[in-house]
Amino acid sequence: MCGRVCVLTHPEHPRTRTGILRRPADMSSASLRALCALLASLCPPCSAASAPDPPRIPHIATHFGTKTRYEEVNPHLLRDALSVNASVLRAPAAERCTPVHLTAVIRHGSRYPTAKNIRRIRQLSELVRREAAGGSDGSDGWLQELRGRWEAWYTEDMDGHLVMKGRDELRLLAIRLRTLFPSLLSEENVRKRRVRFFSSSKPRCLDSVEAFQDGLRRHDEAPVYDHEVDDHLLRFFERCRGYVEGVEKNRTALLEVEKFENGEEMQAVIRKVANRLGLPHHRLTPNLVDAAFFLCSYELSIKSIHSPWCFLFDGSDAQVLEYKSDLKQYWKRSHGHTINSLSSCPLFHHVFRSLDKAGRPRRSTDASPEPASILVGHAETLLPLLSLLGLYKDQTPPTASNYQSQHRRRFRTSRIVPYAANLLFVLYDCQRGPRLQLLVNESPVRFPGLEAEEAPLYRDVRATYRHLLDGCDFHQECEGILVGRGPNIEL
C-alpha cells in the first residue's frame, strides 16, 4: 500500500477531508510503486511530509451529548474507518438464517453549529477578547490563544449545515452496512431502486442521505440521487400538537433543567470557568459556558483539532455539562413526558409495516419484498422512537437533585445519539420463522422483555409491542395535551 495521505481543504471553510490511496486487489507491488511515484510528481502538496499528525483527542470528548463524534462511541473506527465486526450478527447457531430486510433510522452526520449557537459563540469570543484577564493556574498559553489568535470563523449562514466529515460519516456507514448485508444493499438493489430512501427536509439530512447513497454505489457510477422527503415520518415532533403545546412551548416541562442550571453543581462549573478566564462570575451565563464547551466539540468534529476552548474544562466539569444536556433531552425528547415518545407513532408504524411485509409468507408469483428502507433524520427523530421501544430507561429518572446517583445511568446521549447515530432493525428468515435483531450504533441491543435472545422470533417481538401496534394512533395521541411527568409506557 502506498502510505501517502492527501489533505483536501475546502476553499470556503477551514474543514478538511483525508483519504488514503489503497492498493487494488489486482495491482502488483511494482505497478503500485510506479503509480505512487507518478502521483508524487503531479501532487507535491500531498507529499508524506505534509501529512498531518492524528488529532489529539480532548480528554472530555466522550461527554458532548448529542454533539459527540461517532468515533467516541466506536473508537475502533479511528484505526480503520471501514472495519466491521460480523460477529455482532448472531442469528441462532442451530438455525440457518438469511437476512431479508434492513430498516435503518439514521441521524445526520457532523454539522456546523446552528445560527443561534453561532451568535452565542461570537458573544463569548468577544467577551473573552475584551475582558478575560486569566487566572493563576498557569493557563496563559491557551488563554492568549483565545484572546489573540483564535478566530470566531463561524458565520450564521452555516446554520447547522453538514460538514465534510459529516458526509464521510454517512458514506463510510453505508460501506460498512453494505459489507455486513451485501445481499440487501447490493449494487443491483440500489440501481433498480428497490432500496427506499427517506429524508427530513433539513439540508443536513438531504446531504446525509446523498452521502449514504454515494457509499452504496460503485466509484465509476455517476451520482443519481433518489429519495423521498417525508417530515411526517422524520420530523413528527413538529406536527404533534400535544407535544408542541405540552412540552415544546410549556415552560414547566423542562423545570428539572432550569433547577439544575441554578443548582450547586452547575454553579460550581460556572465559577471555575470564570476563574480560569479571569472574569467576574456574573459575566458568564449557563448558555455561554455551554457555548465554550461545545466549541471544543465543534472544533474536533469539524476541523479535527484540539481546540484551546477544551482547556477550560476538566473531567468533572464535562460530566456536569453532559448531565445538563441529558436532562434536557430526557425531559424534552425521551421518557420524561409520555407524549414525547408517542409523537413517534408514525415512524414506529412505518418500521413495523416494512418488517411485516418482508416477513410475510409469499407465493412464488409474489414480488420480492423491499430489501432495505433507509431513513435519515435527527437526534430528535431517534430519541422518541428509542423511548417508545422502551430502551435506555433507568429505574430512577434523572432530576436536578440526584446528579450524584446518576453516574451509571443508561440514558447517556453521548453514547446513544452521537452524530451519525443509527438504529438498525434486521429481519432474518430462519427455520423456525422470521427473527429480528436490533442494533444501536452498529452494536446489538436486546428488546425489553426479550433479553434472553439477541435475535428473538419476530412474532415474539410483535407480541411485546402489540399494545402499540394496535394503538399508538398519531391523531388521537397528538390532538390532546398529554404531558405526563411519570414514566413512559411500560412494556
Side-chain angles (χ1 to χ4, degrees):
M1 177 186 291
C2 177
R4 294 164 40 77
V5 178
C6 295
V7 180
L8 308 176
T9 304
H10 190 278
E12 296 176 359
H13 300 302
R15 60 198 187 191
T16 61
R17 180 182 184 179
T18 62
I20 299 176
L21 178 63
R22 297 183 181 275
R23 172 182 171 177
D26 59 350
M27 179 179 284
S28 68
S29 298
S31 298
L32 182 64
R33 285 194 295 272
L35 177 59
C36 287
L38 175 61
L39 287 176
S41 65
L42 296 176
C43 181
C46 290
S47 65
S50 65
D53 293 329
R56 287 189 303 122
I57 300 174
H59 65 288
I60 60 176
T62 58
H63 299 290
F64 289 133
T66 60
K67 296 174 180 64
T68 301
R69 295 191 311 168
Y70 193 68
E71 292 91 334
E72 264 51 76
V73 176
N74 288 309
H76 64 278
L77 298 178
L78 290 169
R79 298 186 297 273
D80 182 356
L82 297 180
S83 64
V84 297
N85 181 7
S87 66
V88 303
L89 304 172
R90 293 176 188 156
E95 295 182 57
R96 276 193 228 137
C97 295
T98 304
V100 293
H101 179 82
L102 166 68
T103 285
V105 185
I106 304 171
R107 186 191 178 195
H108 59 77
S110 295
R111 60 168 175 81
Y112 288 113
T114 61
K116 179 178 73 174
N117 285 328
I118 289 171
R119 288 191 288 272
R120 289 176 180 169
I121 287 170
R122 299 191 77 82
Q123 180 185 353
L124 172 69
S125 177
E126 290 167 8
L127 175 65
V128 169
R129 283 178 182 276
R130 190 173 58 246
E131 299 184 31
S136 56
D137 56 357
S139 62
D140 286 352
W142 58 261
L143 180 59
Q144 289 307 313
E145 186 171 353
L146 291 182
R147 294 187 64 189
R149 294 188 297 274
W150 188 84
E151 292 288 340
W153 57 273
Y154 303 93
T155 56
E156 290 188 33
D157 63 317
M158 294 174 179
D159 192 22
H161 287 286
L162 200 70
V163 300
M164 188 63 72
K165 184 180 185 298
R167 292 178 183 274
D168 286 343
E169 286 164 347
L170 270 292
R171 182 179 56 82
L172 293 168
L173 173 62
I175 294 172
R176 293 194 300 272
L177 293 184
R178 186 185 65 193
T179 301
L180 285 172
F181 308 107
S183 63
L184 304 181
L185 297 173
S186 66
E187 293 175 5
E188 181 181 9
N189 283 339
V190 174
R191 187 171 60 252
K192 291 185 176 180
R193 300 187 178 180
R194 298 184 60 230
V195 177
R196 295 186 69 189
F197 296 92
F198 301 85
S199 172
S200 149
S201 61
K202 291 292 184 180
R204 56 185 172 271
C205 294
L206 296 170
D207 291 343
S208 290
V209 77
E210 290 183 358
F212 190 94
Q213 290 175 327
D214 284 340
L216 295 182
R217 64 170 52 90
R218 293 177 303 178
H219 294 298
D220 59 350
E221 288 182 332
V224 177
Y225 301 116
D226 179 36
H227 54 262
E228 301 174 40
V229 175
D230 195 332
D231 282 342
H232 179 69
L233 273 181
L234 296 165
R235 293 184 65 81
F236 46 78
F237 43 88
E238 293 180 329
R239 290 163 162 72
C240 181
R241 189 172 71 90
Y243 171 76
V244 171
E245 296 183 18
V247 177
E248 189 81 42
K249 295 181 179 179
N250 183 356
R251 291 185 61 188
T252 65
L254 299 184
L255 186 60
E256 295 298 332
V257 182
E258 182 180 339
K259 284 159 55 174
F260 189 74
E261 285 183 344
N262 296 311
E264 175 185 348
E265 291 90 359
M266 186 64 194
Q267 290 302 310
V269 171
I270 292 175
R271 287 193 297 271
K272 285 165 67 176
V273 173
N275 288 340
R276 287 167 185 154
L277 289 171
L279 290 171
H281 300 172
H282 72 273
R283 297 292 284 136
L284 281 183
T285 65
N287 282 341
L288 289 180
V289 171
D290 276 348
F293 184 56
F294 290 127
L295 263 171
C296 177
S297 164
Y298 289 130
E299 304 276 85
L300 178 64
S301 62
I302 296 171
K303 301 171 69 176
S304 294
I305 64 172
H306 188 301
S307 171
W309 293 100
C310 303
F311 293 101
L312 280 173
F313 306 96
D314 59 29
S316 62
D317 301 331
Q319 290 180 42
V320 170
L321 292 167
E322 178 187 32
Y323 187 73
K324 184 171 85 75
S325 175
D326 284 352
L327 272 181
K328 179 181 177 181
Q329 297 300 331
Y330 182 91
W331 293 101
K332 189 174 183 179
R333 304 290 181 186
S334 186
H335 296 292
H337 301 296
T338 304
I339 192 60
N340 296 349
S341 59
L342 290 177
S343 66
S344 69
C345 288
L347 181 55
F348 173 87
H349 283 297
H350 171 91
V351 169
F352 277 89
R353 277 196 304 269
S354 300
L355 294 169
D356 285 347
K357 193 186 226 182
R360 188 180 303 138
R362 298 185 307 281
R363 297 166 300 185
S364 59
T365 56
D366 290 342
S368 298
E370 181 181 275
S373 178
I374 310 297
L375 304 98
V376 179
H378 308 263
E380 298 90 342
T381 306
L382 271 75
L383 280 174
L385 180 60
L386 289 164
S387 303
L388 192 64
L389 293 169
L391 298 169
Y392 305 109
K393 185 178 182 182
D394 295 289
Q395 188 171 3
T396 302
T399 66
S401 60
N402 65 1
Y403 168 72
Q404 294 299 335
S405 65
Q406 288 285 326
H407 291 308
R408 300 185 67 181
R409 66 189 181 278
R410 298 172 67 197
F411 187 82
R412 195 179 295 273
T413 56
S414 300
R415 306 289 302 174
I416 303 169
V417 282
Y419 293 125
N422 47 87
L423 173 59
L424 310 176
F425 299 84
V426 188
L427 189 69
Y428 293 89
D429 182 17
C430 301
Q431 289 173 308
R432 290 180 54 201
R435 291 183 176 273
L436 186 64
Q437 186 179 42
L438 186 67
L439 296 98
V440 176
N441 300 325
E442 302 176 72
S443 294
V445 173
R446 304 203 177 198
F447 289 99
L450 298 169
E451 287 87 353
E453 295 184 272
E454 281 192 358
L457 289 167
Y458 183 53
R459 63 173 178 262
D460 293 339
V461 178
R462 285 191 108 265
T464 299
Y465 294 109
R466 173 63 63 187
H467 60 293
L468 294 174
L469 292 167
D470 292 343
C472 201
D473 178 81
F474 182 77
H475 179 79
Q476 179 180 335
E477 306 296 353
C478 289
E479 280 306 302
I481 309 296
L482 303 176
V483 179
R485 287 293 297 273
N488 207 338
I489 297 172
E490 295 290 335
L491 296 174

